[in-house]
Amino acid sequence: MGSFPEHRPRRLRRTAGLRRAFAETALTPSNLIAPLFVKESLTEPHAIDSMPGHFQHTLESLRKEARELATRGIAGVLLFAIPGEKDPLGNRAWARDGISQRALRALKDELGDELVVIADLCMCEYTDHGHCGILAGDVVDNDKTLDVYEKIAVAQAEAGADIVAPSGMMDGQVEAIREALDEARMDDTLILAYAAKYASSFYGPFRDAAEGAPRFGDRRGYQQDPANREEALREIDADITQGADAVMVKPALPYLDVIREAKDRFGYPMAAYNVSGEYAMLMAAAQNGWINERDATLEVLTSIRRAGADLVITYHAKKAAEWLT
Ligand code: PBG
Protein backbone atom coordinates (compact mmCIF):
# COMPACT_ATOMS: atom_id res chain seq x y z
CA MET A 1 0.00 0.00 0.00
CA GLY A 2 1.26 3.46 -0.87
CA SER A 3 1.36 6.37 1.49
CA PHE A 4 0.40 10.02 1.65
CA PRO A 5 0.60 12.25 -0.34
CA GLU A 6 0.53 9.90 -3.40
CA HIS A 7 -2.36 8.10 -1.78
CA ARG A 8 -5.33 10.08 -0.65
CA PRO A 9 -8.09 7.67 0.46
CA ARG A 10 -10.60 10.51 0.47
CA ARG A 11 -10.53 10.51 -3.36
CA LEU A 12 -12.62 7.34 -3.34
CA ARG A 13 -15.26 9.05 -1.23
CA ARG A 14 -15.49 12.39 -2.99
CA THR A 15 -18.80 11.98 -4.85
CA ALA A 16 -21.90 9.85 -4.43
CA GLY A 17 -21.06 8.16 -7.74
CA LEU A 18 -17.57 7.21 -6.61
CA ARG A 19 -18.83 5.96 -3.27
CA ARG A 20 -21.43 3.79 -5.01
CA ALA A 21 -18.92 2.47 -7.54
CA PHE A 22 -16.47 1.42 -4.85
CA ALA A 23 -18.89 0.10 -2.24
CA GLU A 24 -17.70 -3.32 -1.06
CA THR A 25 -21.08 -4.54 0.17
CA ALA A 26 -24.35 -4.58 -1.73
CA LEU A 27 -27.75 -4.49 -0.09
CA THR A 28 -30.77 -5.20 -2.29
CA PRO A 29 -34.36 -6.30 -1.66
CA SER A 30 -33.37 -9.79 -2.85
CA ASN A 31 -31.20 -10.12 0.27
CA LEU A 32 -34.17 -9.64 2.58
CA ILE A 33 -36.64 -12.03 4.22
CA ALA A 34 -39.74 -10.70 6.01
CA PRO A 35 -41.14 -12.50 9.06
CA LEU A 36 -44.96 -12.70 9.09
CA PHE A 37 -47.40 -13.75 11.80
CA VAL A 38 -50.79 -15.37 11.23
CA LYS A 39 -53.25 -16.15 14.00
CA GLU A 40 -56.11 -18.62 13.88
CA SER A 41 -59.65 -17.33 14.33
CA LEU A 42 -58.82 -13.63 14.11
CA THR A 43 -61.43 -11.64 12.25
CA GLU A 44 -59.18 -8.70 11.55
CA PRO A 45 -55.44 -8.02 11.75
CA HIS A 46 -54.20 -7.21 15.25
CA ALA A 47 -51.40 -4.66 15.67
CA ILE A 48 -48.37 -5.75 17.73
CA ASP A 49 -47.61 -2.86 20.11
CA SER A 50 -43.93 -3.57 20.63
CA MET A 51 -43.33 -3.96 16.88
CA PRO A 52 -44.71 -0.87 15.13
CA GLY A 53 -45.95 -1.64 11.63
CA HIS A 54 -46.40 -5.37 12.33
CA PHE A 55 -49.56 -7.39 12.80
CA GLN A 56 -50.90 -10.75 13.72
CA HIS A 57 -52.62 -11.45 10.40
CA THR A 58 -55.76 -13.20 9.32
CA LEU A 59 -55.36 -15.57 6.38
CA GLU A 60 -56.79 -12.83 4.18
CA SER A 61 -54.50 -10.02 5.38
CA LEU A 62 -51.54 -12.40 5.27
CA ARG A 63 -52.11 -12.94 1.55
CA LYS A 64 -52.36 -9.22 0.96
CA GLU A 65 -49.20 -8.43 2.86
CA ALA A 66 -47.25 -11.19 1.09
CA ARG A 67 -48.48 -9.91 -2.27
CA GLU A 68 -47.18 -6.44 -1.41
CA LEU A 69 -43.82 -7.82 -0.31
CA ALA A 70 -43.51 -9.74 -3.58
CA THR A 71 -44.16 -6.55 -5.52
CA ARG A 72 -41.23 -4.93 -3.75
CA GLY A 73 -38.83 -7.64 -4.80
CA ILE A 74 -37.85 -9.13 -1.47
CA ALA A 75 -36.55 -12.72 -1.42
CA GLY A 76 -39.07 -14.41 0.80
CA VAL A 77 -41.18 -14.64 3.91
CA LEU A 78 -40.72 -16.53 7.17
CA LEU A 79 -44.03 -17.68 8.58
CA PHE A 80 -44.99 -17.96 12.25
CA ALA A 81 -48.46 -19.20 13.15
CA ILE A 82 -50.47 -18.99 16.35
CA PRO A 83 -53.08 -21.72 16.85
CA GLY A 84 -56.49 -21.30 18.42
CA GLU A 85 -55.78 -24.04 20.95
CA LYS A 86 -52.61 -25.11 22.70
CA ASP A 87 -51.88 -28.40 24.50
CA PRO A 88 -48.89 -29.99 26.27
CA LEU A 89 -47.82 -31.89 23.15
CA GLY A 90 -48.25 -29.15 20.55
CA ASN A 91 -50.49 -31.31 18.40
CA ARG A 92 -51.83 -28.46 16.28
CA ALA A 93 -48.33 -27.81 14.95
CA TRP A 94 -48.49 -30.75 12.55
CA ALA A 95 -52.24 -31.05 11.93
CA ARG A 96 -53.02 -30.98 8.23
CA ASP A 97 -55.70 -28.34 8.90
CA GLY A 98 -53.52 -26.50 11.47
CA ILE A 99 -53.16 -22.75 11.01
CA SER A 100 -49.55 -22.96 9.83
CA GLN A 101 -50.41 -25.47 7.10
CA ARG A 102 -53.48 -23.48 6.01
CA ALA A 103 -51.40 -20.31 5.85
CA LEU A 104 -48.65 -22.03 3.86
CA ARG A 105 -51.23 -23.22 1.31
CA ALA A 106 -52.70 -19.72 1.12
CA LEU A 107 -49.25 -18.18 0.56
CA LYS A 108 -48.37 -20.68 -2.14
CA ASP A 109 -51.72 -20.19 -3.78
CA GLU A 110 -51.25 -16.42 -3.74
CA LEU A 111 -47.60 -16.28 -4.77
CA GLY A 112 -46.57 -19.46 -6.54
CA ASP A 113 -42.81 -19.17 -6.80
CA GLU A 114 -42.64 -15.37 -6.63
CA LEU A 115 -41.46 -15.47 -3.03
CA VAL A 116 -39.57 -18.17 -1.17
CA VAL A 117 -41.87 -19.41 1.57
CA ILE A 118 -40.09 -20.45 4.75
CA ALA A 119 -41.90 -22.14 7.64
CA ASP A 120 -40.53 -21.65 11.13
CA LEU A 121 -40.48 -25.12 12.65
CA CYS A 122 -40.93 -25.06 16.41
CA MET A 123 -43.42 -25.94 19.12
CA CYS A 124 -43.40 -22.93 21.46
CA GLU A 125 -46.46 -21.35 19.79
CA TYR A 126 -48.34 -24.65 20.08
CA THR A 127 -47.56 -25.91 23.58
CA ASP A 128 -49.53 -24.66 26.57
CA HIS A 129 -46.28 -24.46 28.61
CA GLY A 130 -44.55 -22.40 25.89
CA HIS A 131 -41.38 -24.49 25.63
CA CYS A 132 -39.98 -25.58 22.28
CA GLY A 133 -40.59 -29.30 22.76
CA ILE A 134 -42.10 -32.15 24.78
CA LEU A 135 -41.51 -31.84 28.52
CA ALA A 136 -40.21 -34.55 30.82
CA GLY A 137 -40.75 -32.95 34.21
CA ASP A 138 -39.25 -29.48 33.93
CA VAL A 139 -36.89 -30.12 31.03
CA VAL A 140 -37.47 -30.51 27.31
CA ASP A 141 -36.92 -34.13 26.25
CA ASN A 142 -34.66 -33.90 23.21
CA ASP A 143 -35.39 -37.18 21.44
CA LYS A 144 -39.16 -37.22 22.05
CA THR A 145 -39.24 -33.72 20.62
CA LEU A 146 -37.44 -34.85 17.46
CA ASP A 147 -40.32 -37.26 16.71
CA VAL A 148 -42.72 -34.30 16.70
CA TYR A 149 -40.39 -32.05 14.66
CA GLU A 150 -40.36 -34.79 12.00
CA LYS A 151 -44.15 -34.71 11.76
CA ILE A 152 -44.22 -30.91 11.62
CA ALA A 153 -41.61 -30.85 8.85
CA VAL A 154 -43.58 -33.26 6.69
CA ALA A 155 -46.86 -31.39 7.29
CA GLN A 156 -45.25 -28.05 6.38
CA ALA A 157 -43.57 -29.46 3.29
CA GLU A 158 -46.81 -31.05 2.12
CA ALA A 159 -48.56 -27.71 2.62
CA GLY A 160 -46.06 -26.13 0.22
CA ALA A 161 -43.20 -24.69 2.29
CA ASP A 162 -40.11 -24.28 0.10
CA ILE A 163 -37.95 -24.31 3.20
CA VAL A 164 -38.47 -25.51 6.76
CA ALA A 165 -36.49 -23.69 9.44
CA PRO A 166 -36.11 -25.63 12.71
CA SER A 167 -35.61 -23.11 15.52
CA GLY A 168 -35.91 -25.26 18.64
CA MET A 169 -32.18 -25.99 19.16
CA MET A 170 -32.68 -29.71 19.83
CA ASP A 171 -29.63 -31.89 19.19
CA GLY A 172 -29.92 -33.86 15.96
CA GLN A 173 -32.93 -31.91 14.68
CA VAL A 174 -31.55 -31.35 11.18
CA GLU A 175 -30.70 -35.01 10.65
CA ALA A 176 -34.09 -36.16 11.97
CA ILE A 177 -35.98 -33.72 9.78
CA ARG A 178 -33.93 -34.49 6.65
CA GLU A 179 -34.62 -38.21 7.06
CA ALA A 180 -38.33 -37.65 7.64
CA LEU A 181 -38.65 -35.37 4.61
CA ASP A 182 -36.76 -37.79 2.37
CA GLU A 183 -38.87 -40.70 3.56
CA ALA A 184 -42.02 -38.70 2.72
CA ARG A 185 -40.53 -38.01 -0.75
CA MET A 186 -40.12 -34.36 0.10
CA ASP A 187 -36.48 -34.40 -0.89
CA ASP A 188 -36.81 -31.03 -2.69
CA THR A 189 -37.70 -29.22 0.54
CA LEU A 190 -34.75 -27.26 1.92
CA ILE A 191 -33.68 -26.97 5.54
CA LEU A 192 -32.53 -23.60 6.87
CA ALA A 193 -31.12 -24.46 10.29
CA TYR A 194 -31.25 -21.97 13.15
CA ALA A 195 -27.81 -23.35 13.78
CA ALA A 196 -26.41 -20.84 16.24
CA LYS A 197 -29.35 -19.51 18.20
CA TYR A 198 -28.54 -17.73 21.42
CA ALA A 199 -30.65 -17.50 24.57
CA SER A 200 -31.22 -13.81 23.99
CA SER A 201 -33.10 -11.05 25.72
CA PHE A 202 -33.78 -9.56 22.28
CA TYR A 203 -36.68 -11.98 21.60
CA GLY A 204 -39.03 -10.12 23.96
CA PRO A 205 -41.33 -8.42 21.44
CA PHE A 206 -41.53 -11.59 19.33
CA ARG A 207 -42.90 -13.53 22.28
CA ASP A 208 -45.84 -11.09 22.39
CA ALA A 209 -46.30 -11.39 18.64
CA ALA A 210 -46.16 -15.20 18.56
CA GLU A 211 -47.64 -15.78 22.02
CA GLY A 212 -44.93 -18.32 22.76
CA ALA A 213 -43.24 -17.18 25.96
CA PRO A 214 -42.32 -20.03 28.30
CA ARG A 215 -44.78 -20.26 31.23
CA PHE A 216 -41.94 -21.20 33.58
CA GLY A 217 -38.15 -21.08 33.47
CA ASP A 218 -36.26 -19.98 30.38
CA ARG A 219 -34.63 -21.46 27.28
CA ARG A 220 -31.04 -21.56 28.50
CA GLY A 221 -31.16 -25.35 28.67
CA TYR A 222 -31.36 -25.55 24.88
CA GLN A 223 -30.44 -22.16 23.39
CA GLN A 224 -26.80 -21.04 23.49
CA ASP A 225 -24.89 -18.98 26.02
CA PRO A 226 -24.03 -15.51 24.60
CA ALA A 227 -20.48 -15.97 25.89
CA ASN A 228 -19.72 -18.80 23.46
CA ARG A 229 -18.15 -18.51 20.03
CA GLU A 230 -16.50 -21.89 19.54
CA GLU A 231 -19.71 -23.62 20.55
CA ALA A 232 -21.59 -21.70 17.84
CA LEU A 233 -19.10 -22.87 15.23
CA ARG A 234 -19.52 -26.47 16.42
CA GLU A 235 -23.31 -26.13 16.17
CA ILE A 236 -23.04 -24.78 12.62
CA ASP A 237 -20.58 -27.50 11.64
CA ALA A 238 -22.93 -30.15 13.03
CA ASP A 239 -25.95 -28.80 11.16
CA ILE A 240 -24.06 -28.68 7.86
CA THR A 241 -22.93 -32.26 8.42
CA GLN A 242 -26.50 -33.31 9.21
CA GLY A 243 -27.72 -31.94 5.89
CA ALA A 244 -28.72 -28.30 6.37
CA ASP A 245 -28.93 -26.46 3.04
CA ALA A 246 -28.30 -23.12 4.72
CA VAL A 247 -27.49 -22.05 8.27
CA MET A 248 -28.53 -19.11 10.41
CA VAL A 249 -27.05 -17.05 13.20
CA LYS A 250 -29.52 -15.37 15.54
CA PRO A 251 -29.75 -12.60 16.78
CA ALA A 252 -27.64 -10.61 14.31
CA LEU A 253 -26.11 -7.43 15.77
CA PRO A 254 -24.72 -8.80 19.05
CA TYR A 255 -23.24 -11.75 17.07
CA LEU A 256 -21.69 -10.19 13.95
CA ASP A 257 -18.38 -11.79 14.92
CA VAL A 258 -19.99 -15.23 14.78
CA ILE A 259 -21.50 -14.51 11.35
CA ARG A 260 -18.13 -13.45 9.96
CA GLU A 261 -16.23 -16.36 11.39
CA ALA A 262 -18.82 -18.90 10.25
CA LYS A 263 -18.82 -17.50 6.71
CA ASP A 264 -15.02 -17.56 6.56
CA ARG A 265 -14.77 -21.04 8.00
CA PHE A 266 -17.57 -22.83 6.18
CA GLY A 267 -18.27 -20.75 3.05
CA TYR A 268 -21.84 -21.95 3.30
CA PRO A 269 -25.15 -20.23 2.44
CA MET A 270 -25.93 -18.15 5.48
CA ALA A 271 -28.78 -16.13 6.93
CA ALA A 272 -28.80 -13.85 9.96
CA TYR A 273 -31.91 -12.95 11.93
CA ASN A 274 -32.18 -9.28 12.90
CA VAL A 275 -34.64 -10.12 15.66
CA SER A 276 -37.66 -8.43 17.19
CA GLY A 277 -35.78 -6.69 20.03
CA GLU A 278 -33.27 -5.24 17.59
CA TYR A 279 -36.17 -3.86 15.57
CA ALA A 280 -38.04 -2.56 18.63
CA MET A 281 -34.95 -0.82 19.94
CA LEU A 282 -34.35 1.00 16.67
CA MET A 283 -38.01 1.92 16.29
CA ALA A 284 -38.25 3.26 19.82
CA ALA A 285 -35.26 5.53 19.28
CA ALA A 286 -36.58 6.64 15.89
CA GLN A 287 -40.01 7.41 17.29
CA ASN A 288 -38.39 9.54 19.95
CA GLY A 289 -36.53 11.45 17.27
CA TRP A 290 -33.21 10.22 18.63
CA ILE A 291 -32.04 8.52 15.45
CA ASN A 292 -33.10 8.57 11.82
CA GLU A 293 -35.03 5.37 11.07
CA ARG A 294 -34.08 5.10 7.41
CA ASP A 295 -30.37 5.76 7.82
CA ALA A 296 -30.02 3.61 10.94
CA THR A 297 -31.90 0.72 9.34
CA LEU A 298 -29.86 0.71 6.15
CA GLU A 299 -26.66 0.92 8.21
CA VAL A 300 -27.73 -2.03 10.37
CA LEU A 301 -28.75 -4.18 7.38
CA THR A 302 -25.55 -3.32 5.51
CA SER A 303 -23.46 -4.26 8.56
CA ILE A 304 -25.11 -7.68 8.72
CA ARG A 305 -24.39 -8.23 5.00
CA ARG A 306 -20.83 -6.99 5.48
CA ALA A 307 -20.35 -9.49 8.32
CA GLY A 308 -21.07 -12.26 5.81
CA ALA A 309 -24.81 -12.98 5.77
CA ASP A 310 -26.26 -13.75 2.34
CA LEU A 311 -29.79 -13.23 3.61
CA VAL A 312 -31.05 -10.94 6.34
CA ILE A 313 -34.30 -11.80 8.06
CA THR A 314 -35.66 -8.45 9.19
CA TYR A 315 -38.84 -6.71 10.31
CA HIS A 316 -37.62 -3.79 8.22
CA ALA A 317 -37.81 -5.79 4.97
CA LYS A 318 -40.78 -3.96 3.48
CA LYS A 319 -39.58 -0.44 4.24
CA ALA A 320 -35.97 -1.21 3.36
CA ALA A 321 -37.04 -2.62 -0.01
CA GLU A 322 -38.86 0.60 -0.69
CA TRP A 323 -35.87 2.72 0.36
CA LEU A 324 -33.54 0.65 -1.80
CA THR A 325 -35.49 0.98 -5.05
C1 PBG B 1 -39.24 -19.74 18.48
C2 PBG B 1 -38.60 -18.52 17.93
C3 PBG B 1 -38.23 -17.36 18.61
C4 PBG B 1 -37.83 -16.44 17.64
C5 PBG B 1 -37.91 -17.08 16.40
N1 PBG B 1 -38.37 -18.38 16.60
C6 PBG B 1 -38.33 -17.02 20.04
C7 PBG B 1 -37.61 -17.80 21.04
O1 PBG B 1 -36.76 -18.62 20.75
O2 PBG B 1 -37.94 -17.59 22.20
C8 PBG B 1 -37.41 -15.03 17.89
C9 PBG B 1 -37.54 -14.09 16.75
C10 PBG B 1 -37.51 -12.65 17.08
O3 PBG B 1 -37.28 -12.24 18.24
O4 PBG B 1 -37.71 -11.86 16.17
N2 PBG B 1 -38.47 -20.83 18.69
Side-chain angles (χ1 to χ4, degrees), residues 107-137:
L107 287 172
K108 269 297 166 193
D109 175 60
E110 180 71 35
L111 301 162
D113 287 334
E114 278 181 70
L115 281 184
V116 172
V117 175
I118 310 172
D120 184 82
L121 195 169
C122 196
M123 291 171 64
C124 54
E125 298 94 345
Y126 298 92
T127 53
D128 53 11
H129 46 74
H131 279 285
C132 300
I134 304 282
L135 291 183

Side-chain angles (χ1 to χ4, degrees), residues 82-280:
I82 305 132
E85 285 160 47
K86 302 178 190 249
D87 63 59
L89 304 177
N91 283 323
R92 297 305 292 167
W94 49 276
R96 202 174 177 278
D97 64 347
I99 183 64
S100 135
Q101 281 62 258
R102 286 167 60 208
L104 289 167
R105 278 186 220 105
L107 287 172
K108 269 297 166 193
D109 175 60
E110 180 71 35
L111 301 162
D113 287 334
E114 278 181 70
L115 281 184
V116 172
V117 175
I118 310 172
D120 184 82
L121 195 169
C122 196
M123 291 171 64
C124 54
E125 298 94 345
Y126 298 92
T127 53
D128 53 11
H129 46 74
H131 279 285
C132 300
I134 304 282
L135 291 183
D138 273 359
V139 299
V140 177
D141 185 306
N142 193 85
D143 298 10
K144 277 199 188 115
T145 300
L146 293 185
D147 294 341
V148 185
Y149 284 5
E150 292 175 18
K151 292 194 254 187
I152 303 174
V154 172
Q156 291 177 335
E158 284 177 350
D162 298 304
I163 304 181
V164 296
S167 65
M169 289 300 283
M170 294 303 127
D171 294 336
Q173 62 185 13
V174 173
E175 180 175 276
I177 289 166
R178 186 70 271 160
E179 272 178 21
L181 288 171
D182 290 353
E183 215 160 281
R185 306 223 162 156
M186 295 285 155
D187 44 297
D188 282 338
T189 307
L190 286 80
I191 299 175
L192 165 61
Y194 282 73
K197 176 171 176 180
Y198 286 89
S200 171
S201 49
F202 290 98
Y203 305 149
F206 172 92
R207 290 179 186 172
D208 299 335
E211 301 178 15
R215 294 287 177 281
F216 65 88
D218 54 41
R219 304 210 202 285
R220 286 171 220 254
Y222 38 104
Q223 298 179 350
Q224 286 176 239
D225 185 332
N228 296 349
R229 193 185 105 261
E230 290 179 348
E231 182 185 43
L233 296 169
R234 287 199 300 273
E235 285 279 3
I236 293 167
D237 196 0
D239 282 0
I240 292 172
T241 305
Q242 288 177 34
D245 299 281
V247 291
M248 191 200 299
V249 172
K250 173 186 176 186
L253 288 185
Y255 304 95
L256 291 178
D257 58 327
V258 177
I259 299 172
R260 167 47 58 202
E261 195 158 355
K263 191 63 175 178
D264 285 348
R265 185 168 312 187
F266 302 109
Y268 213 68
M270 218 162 73
Y273 199 147
N274 181 220
V275 300
S276 59
E278 299 176 72
Y279 175 77

Side-chain angles (χ1 to χ4, degrees), residues 10-21:
R10 284 182 54 185
R11 271 183 211 127
L12 287 167
R13 312 176 195 139
R14 192 173 54 83
T15 67
L18 284 166
R19 290 193 292 274
R20 193 173 60 232

